[in-house]
Every structure is written in C-alpha cells, then in structure tokens.
Amino acid sequence: MNTFGNIYRLTNFGESHGPAIGGVIDGVPAGYDIDLAEIQRQLDRRRTGQSPTDSSRNETDKVKFLSGLYEGKTLGTSIGFVIENSDAKSRDYDACKNIYRPNHADYTYQAKYGIRDYRGGGRASARETAVRVVGGTVALQILKAQGIDIKAHISRIGTHTTPEEMLREIEQAKAEGDSVGGIISCNISGVPAGLGEPVFGKLQAMLASAMMSINAAKGFEYGSGFDSAYHRGSQLIDSPYFDKDSNRVRTRTNYSGGIQGGISNGEDIYFNVAFKPVATIMRPIETIDTESNSTILRMHGRHDVCVVPRAVVVVEAMAAMTILDALLLSRATQLQ
C-alpha cells in the first residue's frame, strides 16, 4: 500500500536514512502549467531546522524531476521525481537498534515483516511526507486552474489557540524534554457540487483516509464533527436556497461542512485533523528490547518537539490529491 488515489495516484518510496525518497505520479491531466519553484517553496514549508523546536536535521529537500514534464507543462504521462537524503545521521539511532521505542512502529514493523530499518524509523518516518508535498502541490496547481483553493492552519497546540501561547507551549515542552500535539484546520473552497460517491467512496471518507495516513494523525472531523453529538437536528439544519448571484443552489448555513450524503454540495469543505505529541521524548522511558528484556530507553539526536507546524503543508497536499482524484472520478461517471 505505497500508492494513494484512484485516478490521480501517487506512489512513493524510500526510507528516512536511505539514499533518497521519491515518487511517481500517475493520472495527471496533460497540458497544465506546473510552477516548479512553487513546488520547492511548498517543500521548504515542510523542511526541518526552521525553528528552534524543529528537528535540527537539515535536509535541503531539493526535488529533481525525471519525467512527465516538458517546457513546464504536464505531458499526461507519469511524473517521476527524487529527493536525496543528504543529512542523515544514522549513529543517532544506535541506542535503539535492539530496542522497541514506545508508541513508534518499531515493534509493529518487526511483527509484520520480521525485519526493520531502525535508522530514523525507516519507512515509518515522517521523512516520506516530503514526497506527498510534491504530489499535492502538482494537484493543487491543477485545482487552482479549476477555481479550487485549499488552505490549512494551526488552530490549537495543546490547550492553547493564540500564536503566542502555542509557541510558548512548544518551547516549554522542549525545555522539559517532552513533546506536545495539536490540531490543524483546513478549508477547501470552490469545490463544485457532485464530487464523491454515494456509499463506499464518500468524499468525507476519502478525506478521512487521506488525513489519517499522515504520521501522528489521531483524529478527523468535518463540518460540525463531534460537536454534532451535543445538538438536536433542528439546530444543525442547512436550509437550501437558490442564489441568483452565483446562479446555483446554496445553503444558508454550513454545518454539513460542504458534504451531504457523501457528495460535495458546493459549499466550503472544512475539517480538523488532530495530531498526537511526538513519541520520541528526551526523557528516560521504560520499554523492552528485541529479546523481550525490560530496559530503559534514553534517546538522543535530532527530533521535533511538535509535528503540527510542519504538518500544515502535508494536510494541504493530501487534501489537494484527494479533491483532484474525486474530480477526475466524477468526470469519469458523466461521459456525454
């Protein structure tokens, strides 16, 4: 399961401390202008080392395209690309070579495959999300030509919601050798009515699957979400009306989050993604080794205190690939 999507598909490869990570994008419509500088700008948003609370791993994340583009336009063929790993320090992980890090994929990968790359988490590392950013930025540029825009932002870190308080929370967690989680909110505007499938391909299910595939994601809600459980139906009715200015059906409120019956209704789609605190903390932690002996793990090296700031662009990327895939699927069912 290294491929995401149905028609617009991203297959990614690579481990955290391998020579490179990369991907192949299939299903890209031909003839679209792609701004390569914009792709690099989005990759830079995800890079480490830009904040004192980030991991100090300093990857340049320079993407090299191998196929699928000519004179700045998509050819309709597969787009292949690689991003070299240039600042891996595998020795930082020597201490956990034979130890299972709590809340990581160490034990589960060993149980599934009988072998694992312990260096930086190997394939389970968030390093692979750089590949998603490339695939998502290509998708977003195609979507913008269709009038669709996607914007995400940090809405909470720990219990705090203002930028100053959120930064202090992260800094305090670092000072205490701890970590902290948070919430990213995302809004998608310009989506036409009719995207999504009625049963197993519901648009909110596609978005949920995309978001929950991101490292450290622990929860997803769209529209009124979990707050719906505390209201009566009469309080969450989205009454439709015909808007003469836009010449389309709209709703007076948007508790549905732009999706009804699993299909977009033309209103803004909005959702939240909850991210857990980073599992690697700079404190002694009880665990076991690969021989099932109790031991104490003492981590060193370069690690994020909070993944949320760097995950904003990843949320946007996954949303873009999901919406473009849904758009292409909808056109496949409406041949005339």
Side-chain angles (χ1 to χ4, degrees):
M1 299 301 291
N2 297 302
T3 299
F4 173 82
N6 297 282
I7 296 179
Y8 186 88
R9 302 185 305 278
L10 172 68
T11 299
N12 78 4
F13 60 84
E15 286 80 36
S16 178
H17 287 216
I21 54 176
V24 177
I25 311 171
D26 284 307
V28 184
Y32 280 88
D33 292 315
I34 299 298
D35 184 346
L36 300 184
E38 176 61 17
I39 293 175
Q40 194 60 59
R41 280 192 291 272
Q42 296 304 314
L43 279 169
D44 290 344
R45 290 175 63 196
R46 197 212 68 93
R47 282 184 58 223
T48 56
Q50 301 184 80
S51 163
T53 56
D54 288 350
S55 163
S56 59
R57 180 172 177 173
N58 190 24
E59 296 286 356
T60 59
D61 281 354
K62 298 298 182 185
V63 59
K64 179 180 180 181
F65 287 92
L66 306 175
S67 65
L69 300 171
Y70 180 68
E71 295 183 342
K73 290 184 180 292
T74 59
L75 291 171
T77 56
S78 58
I79 296 176
F81 61 93
V82 293
I83 303 170
E84 292 185 357
N85 292 330
S86 59
D87 191 36
K89 294 183 179 179
S90 301
R91 64 179 179 275
D92 289 344
Y93 293 88
D94 287 347
C96 58
K97 180 178 181 180
N98 298 310
I99 294 177
Y100 295 134
R101 294 172 299 167
N103 293 65
H104 281 273
D106 295 350
Y107 170 71
T108 53
Y109 265 54
Q110 189 72 37
K112 180 177 178 63
Y113 298 108
I115 187 174
R116 65 186 174 94
D117 182 353
Y118 68 90
R119 305 167 303 166
R123 183 70 174 143
S125 169
R127 176 77 184 127
E128 60 85 16
T129 59
V131 177
R132 304 181 190 217
V133 172
V134 176
T137 306
V138 171
L140 186 57
Q141 293 186 41
I142 295 172
L143 289 174
K144 284 186 175 181
Q146 307 295 318
I148 299 173
D149 194 32
I150 299 173
K151 287 288 187 296
H153 67 277
I154 303 170
S155 54
R156 181 179 294 273
I157 296 292
T159 60
H160 303 293
T161 56
T162 67
E164 296 80 9
E165 291 174 329
M166 290 192 287
L167 178 58
R168 280 197 295 269
E169 178 76 8
I170 296 174
E171 291 174 340
Q172 183 177 352
K174 181 178 182 180
E176 296 173 354
D178 214 333
S179 61
V180 65
I183 296 174
I184 293 175
S185 300
C186 186
N187 190 85
I188 309 174
S189 60
V191 178
L195 302 194
E197 304 303 319
V199 182
F200 295 114
K202 295 179 187 293
L203 188 56
Q204 74 269 26
M206 293 174 68
L207 285 167
S209 177
M211 297 307 141
M212 294 304 291
S213 74
I214 302 173
N215 306 64
K218 299 295 285 187
F220 173 87
E221 64 174 356
Y222 77 102
S224 53
F226 282 94
D227 191 54
S228 301
Y230 309 113
H231 292 79
R232 293 192 175 186
S234 59
Q235 297 175 297
L236 299 178
I237 294 294
D238 291 324
S239 298
Y241 71 99
F242 185 77
D243 180 36
K244 294 182 179 179
D245 292 334
S246 61
N247 195 37
R248 66 180 179 89
V249 174
R250 300 203 60 184
T251 56
R252 299 190 185 281
T253 53
N254 192 19
Y255 299 114
S256 300
I259 303 172
Q260 294 172 327
I263 300 171
S264 62
N265 66 0
E267 299 297 325
D268 282 7
I269 296 171
Y270 62 94
F271 59 85
N272 297 318
V273 187
F275 288 85
K276 70 174 183 177
V278 178
T280 300
I281 60 176
M282 299 297 107
R283 295 181 177 185
I285 309 173
E286 293 183 1
T287 185
I288 61 172
D289 61 23
T290 54
E291 301 298 323
S292 300
N293 300 306
S294 297
T295 187
I296 299 295
L297 174 65
R298 293 178 172 84
M299 284 300 300
H300 304 282
R302 306 168 298 176
H303 306 281
D304 289 303
V305 176
C306 179
V307 300
V308 177
R310 294 175 54 218
V312 172
V313 67
V314 182
V315 167
E316 292 175 349
M318 295 305 297
M321 288 191 287
T322 301
I323 296 299
L324 179 55
D325 195 33
L327 182 63
L328 294 171
L329 281 167
S330 72
R331 293 180 178 178
T333 61
Q334 298 181 25
L335 290 176
Q336 294 181 357

